Amino acid sequence: MFKNIREDIASVFDRDPAARNTFEVLTCYPGLHARIFHRMSNTLWHVGLKWLARFISHFARWFTGIEIHPGATIGRRFFIDHGMGVVIGETAEIGDDVTMYHGVTLGGTSWKEGKRHPTLGNGVVIGAGAKVLGPIHIGDGAKIGSNAVVVKDVPAGATAAGIPARILDEEKKADHGFKAYAIGNDQNDPVAKTLHGLIGHSVTVDQRIDFILQQLEKMGVRVEEERATADKFDPNHLNKIVD
């Protein structure tokens, strides 16, 4: 127990620059308190004292603002930053060195018994307000952006963001450092990239149409009406809107 608590405290210092000393972490970090309560309730759950386990979980929710079902399986060095509003369901499984921010839900999408909640691999980071729903698997080292809604598996090392969540392209594959809230500045949204591509294609099409009109004018064809009714297309402005 005490070894695990020491590991949890060390993980706070590793991932939160606001942490100043051990006493502050022990007394002022609800994520650490919730983890301690969950260890107690989880032990009671597995020895058959389910009501007492649920009662301790209920008290922990009131005390910390974090709701972790006693049946959830949680690995080592689990860190919940800020914590308020976190909900972790009964059949959720969380690996080692996972980081989670406030407002995260590991929820179920079925009323049937059995596996209903997500499985998180080692080193996963889930940003504030994200909802990870159903018996899906989030691979080792994956990152879930803030406010994302994830309903499909996320491969190891990938970054998912959006509603519903999409896998983002990472331009700097060599950078595997910790990223607060699971989002860095080196990812590109595939939808944004697609829109930029369509805007670029529209520019090319407009250039070709203009060339055709010029050739028609040289042949004596009147094209004033076509030029007057042409749309005023500003690709630079549209690209800025997409970004």
Side-chain angles (χ1 to χ4, degrees):
M1 170 71 84
F2 292 107
K3 178 183 177 182
N4 291 331
I5 293 175
R6 284 195 295 269
E7 281 189 340
D8 292 339
I9 293 171
S11 70
V12 173
F13 286 111
D14 289 340
R15 290 173 249 174
D16 185 6
R20 297 183 299 174
N21 54 66
T22 300
F23 181 75
E24 181 181 87
V25 172
L26 277 171
T27 55
C28 301
Y29 275 68
L32 178 64
H33 303 153
R35 186 69 183 97
I36 294 171
F37 280 120
H38 177 261
R39 284 197 180 96
M40 293 188 291
S41 66
N42 184 255
T43 299
L44 293 170
W45 182 266
H46 287 292
V47 299
L49 299 175
K50 297 188 183 299
W51 178 88
L52 184 56
R54 288 299 302 266
F55 183 78
I56 292 175
S57 174
H58 180 69
F59 174 81
R61 178 190 179 209
W62 169 81
F63 182 69
T64 66
I66 298 168
E67 180 176 339
I68 306 177
H69 193 284
T73 301
I74 300 178
R76 298 166 61 184
R77 298 176 296 275
F78 177 49
F79 176 45
I80 304 176
D81 200 359
H82 303 294
M84 182 62 70
V86 166
V87 176
I88 299 174
E90 177 185 2
T91 61
E93 299 176 54
I94 299 174
D96 298 335
D97 302 299
V98 170
T99 302
M100 190 176 292
Y101 289 85
H102 49 283
V104 169
T105 298
L106 302 186
T109 57
S110 172
W111 289 355
K112 297 180 181 178
E113 294 184 1
K115 179 67 171 171
R116 308 185 307 278
H117 301 91
T119 297
L120 311 185
N122 299 328
V124 171
V125 181
I126 304 185
K131 315 302 177 189
V132 186
L133 307 175
I136 61 176
H137 184 268
I138 310 300
D140 293 351
K143 296 177 283 291
I144 308 300
S146 296
N147 294 317
V149 177
V150 186
V151 293
K152 295 181 180 179
D153 292 351
V154 176
T159 298
I163 305 174
R166 303 178 298 274
I167 305 301
L168 302 186
D169 297 327
E170 297 181 271
E171 294 183 355
K172 296 182 180 178
K173 293 291 184 180
D175 182 14
H176 298 293
F178 177 76
K179 294 176 180 177
Y181 293 93
I183 290 294
N185 294 322
D186 56 352
Q187 286 107 18
N188 289 320
D189 187 336
V191 173
K193 292 177 69 175
T194 301
L195 290 174
H196 284 306
L198 290 173
I199 292 169
H201 179 70
S202 297
V203 172
T204 302
V205 171
D206 278 359
Q207 291 173 343
R208 290 175 177 173
I209 292 174
D210 187 63
F211 176 77
I212 293 172
L213 292 177
Q214 290 177 10
Q215 298 304 311
L216 290 173
E217 284 181 318
K218 291 179 180 179
M219 296 169 60
V221 179
R222 300 177 61 86
V223 295
E224 291 83 358
E225 183 177 349
E226 284 73 14
R227 291 193 181 278
T229 58
D231 294 331
K232 303 300 180 182
F233 182 69
D234 186 353
N236 293 327
H237 177 66
L238 291 177
N239 280 320
K240 288 180 180 179
I241 292 175
V242 173
D243 290 333

